[in-house]
Amino acid sequence: MPKTLVVDDDPDVETLLRGQLSGRQISDGFDFVFARSEAQALQILGSEKNIDIGLVVIDSQTISGMELFRHMKGGAPRIPRIALTSTNDLATIRRAMNNGAVDFLVKPI
């Protein structure tokens, strides 16, 4: 079962993902772990070795997604990272891609 680490301090993101997947067959095949801070994300990454992908907010006031991308870069195993942003700012998205994001999603997702 694929496990996704979602790093976002916006509680609506967790509510949205849990709400959209609850009661659907797709929820049986996926597992989500939520972190509301960089420190919590790093703790999860250090303790759980079975994270398959990371969805990381890059334009939060309290989470530095770009810095978290740098911490995740070159880790073993390598975890693909998707930048989550509430803006279409191409420069920010490009910077995230240069820091290791493989793709991006614009809120609301």
Side-chain angles (χ1 to χ4, degrees):
M1 167 179 354
K3 186 178 274 191
T4 302
L5 171 62
V6 180
V7 184
D8 196 333
D9 57 344
D10 180 356
D12 291 338
V13 171
E14 181 174 351
T15 302
L16 173 76
L17 288 172
R18 289 194 190 281
Q20 289 297 316
L21 294 175
S22 66
R24 295 183 182 200
Q25 277 187 331
I26 194 169
S27 66
D28 295 332
F30 293 89
D31 190 14
F32 289 91
V33 178
F34 295 90
R36 297 232 176 128
S37 70
E38 265 180 270
Q40 191 177 16
L42 291 171
Q43 180 183 8
I44 290 168
L45 288 168
S47 64
E48 295 202 27
K49 302 301 179 198
N50 58 345
I51 301 291
D52 297 296
I53 193 163
L55 181 61
V56 181
V57 69
I58 60 170
D59 55 3
S60 165
Q61 296 293 328
T62 58
I63 296 175
S64 173
M66 301 294 185
E67 185 64 30
L68 189 56
F69 278 173
R70 285 190 280 279
H71 281 289
M72 295 169 75
K73 198 173 192 174
R78 187 181 179 314
I79 300 169
R81 295 156 319 264
I82 297 175
L84 180 60
T85 179
S86 57
T87 179
N88 282 330
D89 180 41
L90 212 47
T92 301
I93 293 168
R94 184 176 295 124
R95 194 166 72 243
M97 302 295 268
N98 288 338
N99 281 315
V102 296
D103 209 341
F104 68 94
L105 293 172
V106 179
K107 289 182 183 181
I109 52 174

